[in-house]
Amino acid sequence: MPQLDDGAVRAPRLTGYAHGGGCACKIPPGELEDAVRGLIGQPGADVLVGLESGDDAAAVMVREDLAVLSTADFFTPVVDDAYDWGRIAAANALSDIYAMGGRPIMAVNLVGWPREVLPPELMTEVLRGGLSIASQAGCPVIGGHSIDDPEPKYGMAVTGVAHPDRLLRNDAAEPGLPITLTKPIGVGLLNNRHKRTGDVFPEAVATMAHLNRDAAEAAVAAGARAATDVTGFGLLGHLYKMCRASGVGAVIDLSSVPLIQGAREALQAGFVSGGTRRNLEWVRPHLRAAPGVTEEDLLLLADAQTSGGLLVVGELPGHPVIGHTVANQGIEIR
């Protein structure tokens, strides 16, 4: 480990060992869609959610009253604290199950570790953080898989269950309904600032480590049918994917979108990730911005989130309504 001038040991900055951080290290959405275009999954009568709409998790019906959900998610360090990174990565992986209206029942760890560079004690802290969040979710973590990797990576493969008739899907949005967002956006900007300066933002860490469980349960109880979570493609990217899959459009009220404290300041200081800029360029052809909506506003809405909230077509008490769905195509920002 690095040493200070007085000989004391200093913990390494984990974000310095990765080219990207969190969900901002995702392959850009347009590039990813080009790569998988034409690939065909395994169709079958029991496959409820497959490859077609690019949903958050796969769903297969095993009984008339039981669907099994499956997902995997991992990423490079988003913060320097190993325990917090583990917490955030676990909450992010579990979120894919919640975004489908499901309940996680089992997870396995996915680890890439530069074993000649970073001590195993740090990996233990990452795993301990993941286990703490999985325990909050009531989801046992049973084993996993690890490889020697030049960049540290951590996440989980998660299995969940849901009732087939109460799935939240990204292709089930209907026009004329409110759109709710359950977490503020802007953590990508603060994460990028953290990576470049070492500044720590406790509110961002707390937001990313917060489970989407209660929001998912509220959405299912309210009878919502369409939802997704907001991660690496940003609010605009994930909203566009849901609108495209459902054949609807959306209107977003810019002033109603909640921002995490410090996000706009980080934007103005230039802490915009490459992933955020790629998100905006991908979705820009489908945007209609009202006069007064600036490029900075669009970058905020495209900010690559890590472990963001749920984007629900429907109204959830206690969470802001940020717009509504419409019958026409595209996304209008007012």
Side-chain angles (χ1 to χ4, degrees), residues 81-150:
D81 185 278
Y83 182 76
D84 282 342
W85 174 32
R87 294 168 63 224
I88 293 165
N92 183 73
L94 291 163
S95 181
D96 283 343
I97 299 297
Y98 295 133
M100 300 291 294
R103 175 174 62 87
I105 60 169
M106 182 184 71
V108 293
N109 287 314
L110 303 172
V111 182
W113 200 255
R115 45 185 295 276
E116 300 295 334
V117 178
L118 294 175
E121 293 82 6
L122 274 182
M123 183 173 68
T124 300
E125 281 300 288
V126 176
L127 295 172
R128 194 170 68 86
L131 185 61
S132 73
I133 292 297
S135 293
Q136 286 183 29
C139 177
V141 181
I142 309 171
H145 184 68
S146 62
I147 61 169
D148 191 349
D149 193 323

Side-chain angles (χ1 to χ4, degrees), residues 193-210:
R193 181 170 179 173
H194 173 69
K195 177 179 172 62
R196 289 164 59 180
T197 68
D199 296 339
V200 177
F201 300 93
E203 184 184 353
V205 172
T207 295
M208 291 184 288
H210 183 71

Side-chain angles (χ1 to χ4, degrees), residues 1-2 9-17 79-82 113 117-119 122:
M1 285 190 183
V9 175
R10 178 178 58 197
R13 292 199 60 205
L14 286 174
T15 56
Y17 291 85
V79 293
D80 290 324
D81 185 278
W113 200 255
V117 178
L118 294 175
L122 274 182

Side-chain angles (χ1 to χ4, degrees), residues 311-329:
L311 192 62
V312 181
V313 178
E315 188 167 357
L316 302 186
H319 298 287
V321 170
I322 65 167
H324 60 277
T325 54
V326 293
N328 59 305
Q329 304 294 300

Side-chain angles (χ1 to χ4, degrees), residues 206-276:
T207 295
M208 291 184 288
H210 183 71
L211 289 170
N212 281 325
R213 173 184 56 197
D214 293 348
E217 291 176 354
V220 172
R225 302 304 302 269
T228 188
D229 63 350
V230 180
T231 56
F233 300 155
L235 171 60
L236 288 179
H238 289 284
L239 176 60
Y240 168 64
K241 286 186 65 179
M242 182 160 61
C243 288
R244 182 181 63 180
S246 300
V248 300
V251 175
I252 295 299
D253 177 8
L254 182 63
S255 64
S256 299
V257 177
L259 299 180
I260 197 161
Q261 183 177 358
R264 191 171 286 277
E265 292 78 5
L267 172 66
Q268 293 169 346
F271 294 103
V272 181
S273 70
T276 292

Side-chain angles (χ1 to χ4, degrees), residues 46-53 55-60 100 167 169:
D46 296 332
V47 177
L48 300 175
V49 179
L51 294 175
E52 296 78 18
S53 64
D55 217 325
D56 296 291
V60 176
M100 300 291 294
L167 285 174
R169 306 172 57 124

